[in-house]
Amino acid sequence: MATNTANPLATDFELELDGPLTSYWLALLRVITGWWFFHAGVTKLVEDGLAYSYGPMYMQEMTGTALGPIPVWMGNNLAWLIAPGVPLFETLIGLALMAGLLTRLASIGGVIFMTLFWIGNAEFGHGLVNSDLMGLLLFLTVIVLGAGRYYGLDAIVEQTKLVQRHPKLRYILG
């Protein structure tokens, strides 16, 4: 805690980024974001199994977006991958985030999903800032701040001899 006698409006409270409050907050943010994606994926798996046909249909209708014809092509030609991939990857991304394991790698998957959702909803009826952008920012925050190191399994994995010998593995952990 620091005080500032030069500023009469200053208080005795200072949020330290390396303090316990930040650790708890990042862990909570990571787990909630993971639950959000896990729930979305498991719900699709329970309802449709690995035949989630809305994913390819959604991409086929993404005409006139900033991505041009790419998502339409993907929806038409990669439906065999997208239909099982959406519920499966949402579930796996969510599990990884909740456990704090391979957190950055999983969050990169979340960034890809949320970018497609954000651009796919290109009507932007509520402006550029919408729930898809907020989800994208959540995943980016988890990546940038290494949220898997806070009460997650990544903190344990980073202590293993394998990661000690290959420190670049920390880029997909944390």
Side-chain angles (χ1 to χ4, degrees), residues 40-72:
V42 165
T43 302
K44 290 176 182 87
L45 285 173
V46 168
E47 292 175 358
D48 300 316
L50 293 176
Y52 181 66
S53 61
Y54 181 72
M57 289 187 325
Y58 175 79
M59 295 190 84
Q60 290 165 357
E61 295 173 7
M62 286 178 65
T63 58
T65 67
L67 295 176
I70 295 170
V72 176

Side-chain angles (χ1 to χ4, degrees), residues 27 30-35 38 91-104 106 142 147-157 173-174:
R30 185 196 76 234
V31 170
I32 290 172
T33 304
W35 173 255
F38 174 76
T91 303
L92 292 175
I93 288 167
L95 281 172
L97 273 121
M98 288 189 298
L101 183 62
L102 298 171
T103 305
R104 284 188 171 140
V142 168
R149 294 185 179 121
Y150 301 97
Y151 305 103
L153 294 176
D154 283 340
I156 297 168
V157 173
L173 298 167

Side-chain angles (χ1 to χ4, degrees), residues 3-168:
T3 59
N4 183 351
T5 56
N7 182 355
L9 298 177
T11 63
D12 288 333
F13 180 78
E14 181 180 303
L15 179 64
E16 298 173 11
L17 291 179
D18 60 346
L21 185 61
T22 305
S23 300
Y24 299 142
W25 178 251
L26 288 174
L28 182 66
L29 185 74
R30 185 196 76 234
V31 170
I32 290 172
T33 304
W35 173 255
W36 170 42
F37 249 56
F38 174 76
H39 183 265
V42 165
T43 302
K44 290 176 182 87
L45 285 173
V46 168
E47 292 175 358
D48 300 316
L50 293 176
Y52 181 66
S53 61
Y54 181 72
M57 289 187 325
Y58 175 79
M59 295 190 84
Q60 290 165 357
E61 295 173 7
M62 286 178 65
T63 58
T65 67
L67 295 176
I70 295 170
V72 176
W73 180 87
M74 289 172 66
N76 288 328
N77 297 298
L78 298 178
W80 60 272
L81 177 64
I82 295 168
V86 168
L88 191 60
F89 287 125
E90 282 181 338
T91 303
L92 292 175
I93 288 167
L95 281 172
L97 273 121
M98 288 189 298
L101 183 62
L102 298 171
T103 305
R104 284 188 171 140
L105 181 64
S107 293
I108 289 169
V111 165
I112 292 168
F113 269 90
M114 295 313 300
T115 300
L116 287 172
F117 296 159
W118 186 52
I119 294 172
N121 293 331
E123 298 166 359
F124 298 112
H126 299 288
L128 289 176
V129 179
N130 58 23
S131 60
D132 297 324
L133 178 62
M134 293 296 106
L136 175 60
L137 292 175
L138 279 172
F139 282 109
L140 288 172
T141 301
V142 168
I143 291 170
V144 169
L145 298 178
R149 294 185 179 121
Y150 301 97
Y151 305 103
L153 294 176
D154 283 340
I156 297 168
V157 173
E158 286 183 358
Q159 302 304 314
T160 64
K161 289 181 182 179
L162 176 67
V163 178
Q164 299 298 324
R165 281 191 307 247
H166 305 284
K168 290 185 179 179

